Amino acid sequence: MTKTTAWNSPAICRHILATNFPPLRDSVHFPPLKECLLRATESTAVLDVGCCKAELAKTFPDLDYTGADLEHIIEGVSKVLQPSLKYVYFNADNDDYSFMSNYDIVVMNSFLSETTNPLIVLDQVLQYASKYVILHRQDIGTTDTHLVEYNTYGGLKATNSIINRRDFIEMLENRGWIIDFETNSFENDEPDKKTLLLTKGSSV
């Protein structure tokens, strides 16, 4: 069953806009994300799922960028900060995923980790994505797949998903994807938080 979290509340937009985090290119977790994008060198059509501030477009201006997020996030955050970009309203709990086949790379930067049904969402992404999927800042561990509640922007309640590695590998095998590249998202801590480049068309 879908659980309502902070991201479903329009109130989160003003809290996001009030934050003063460093730009994506200056963040400590940026190098692994950059490495994944560089490895997908021949591809430029990128769908940034859970785009929020759409920082990926500003950091990589040569990409053919489209951001996807909940309608109130796009209207209240994405278009406020970067109104000239292309956006798609997308609710992972209710909407059709087939539009993802139009893009070379589907990026999920701390998006899958925020969903309340991560295996269902990932399975749908893998079904329709055409070439590459980048997972960034996703917990993949040895415990059973589960959710942990935490406080996000403005102290609102959200969930962090932890995916069991066996569940993850089995899903890749079933959908015909391989792990092209994997590393820790953070150099010195949070060892279960991973960054991965997944490639379609081969067997694990």
Side-chain angles (χ1 to χ4, degrees):
M1 184 175 70
T2 301
K3 179 180 179 181
T4 299
T5 73
W7 301 103
N8 302 106
S9 170
I12 199 171
C13 295
R14 60 183 174 86
H15 295 301
I16 294 171
L17 292 174
T19 59
N20 191 29
F21 293 132
L24 178 61
R25 65 169 55 89
D26 296 331
S27 65
V28 294
H29 60 81
F30 177 63
L33 177 60
K34 179 181 179 181
E35 178 67 20
C36 287
L37 285 164
L38 289 175
R39 285 172 177 260
T41 52
E42 78 282 8
S43 301
T44 60
V46 171
L47 179 69
D48 184 12
V49 184
C51 62
C52 199
K53 293 182 177 181
E55 289 188 277
L56 195 68
K58 190 173 183 178
T59 308
F60 296 95
D62 292 335
L63 294 176
D64 179 9
Y65 179 91
T66 302
D69 214 320
L70 295 165
E71 180 176 357
H72 62 270
I73 299 290
I74 288 178
E75 295 298 328
V77 178
S78 312
K79 287 185 176 180
V80 170
L81 297 175
Q82 301 203 65
S84 64
L85 298 176
K86 295 178 290 185
Y87 296 105
V88 175
Y89 297 150
F90 176 63
N91 185 325
D93 293 323
N94 303 317
D95 292 343
D96 184 1
Y97 287 63
S98 61
F99 75 102
M100 294 186 180
S101 65
N102 298 321
Y103 303 90
D104 299 322
I105 309 172
V106 175
V107 177
M108 292 185 281
N109 175 10
S110 193
F111 169 76
L112 185 63
S113 59
E114 299 291 326
T115 64
T116 58
N117 296 296
L119 294 178
I120 293 174
V121 171
L122 179 59
D123 186 58
Q124 287 288 292
V125 172
L126 295 178
Q127 179 179 350
Y128 290 107
S130 63
K131 191 178 294 185
Y132 297 108
V133 169
I134 295 174
L135 293 179
H136 184 49
R137 294 188 288 162
Q138 173 61 50
D139 286 284
I140 301 176
T142 58
T143 60
D144 290 344
T145 298
H146 65 285
L147 304 177
V148 176
E149 190 173 81
Y150 78 101
N151 294 330
T152 188
Y153 299 97
L156 299 174
K157 297 292 184 183
T159 58
N160 179 56
S161 70
I162 292 86
I163 295 178
N164 175 268
R165 183 167 289 273
R166 291 190 307 273
D167 293 342
F168 181 67
I169 295 300
E170 181 178 355
M171 185 172 294
L172 296 184
E173 291 175 343
N174 289 340
R175 290 295 184 186
W177 288 76
I178 64 167
I179 298 173
D180 195 297
F181 172 75
E182 177 176 355
T183 190
N184 292 340
S185 302
F186 297 89
E187 185 175 353
N188 297 318
D189 58 0
E190 301 187 76
D192 286 344
K193 204 166 287 291
K194 302 297 184 181
T195 298
L196 306 99
L197 174 64
L198 310 177
T199 304
K200 188 173 185 177
S202 302
S203 59
V204 176

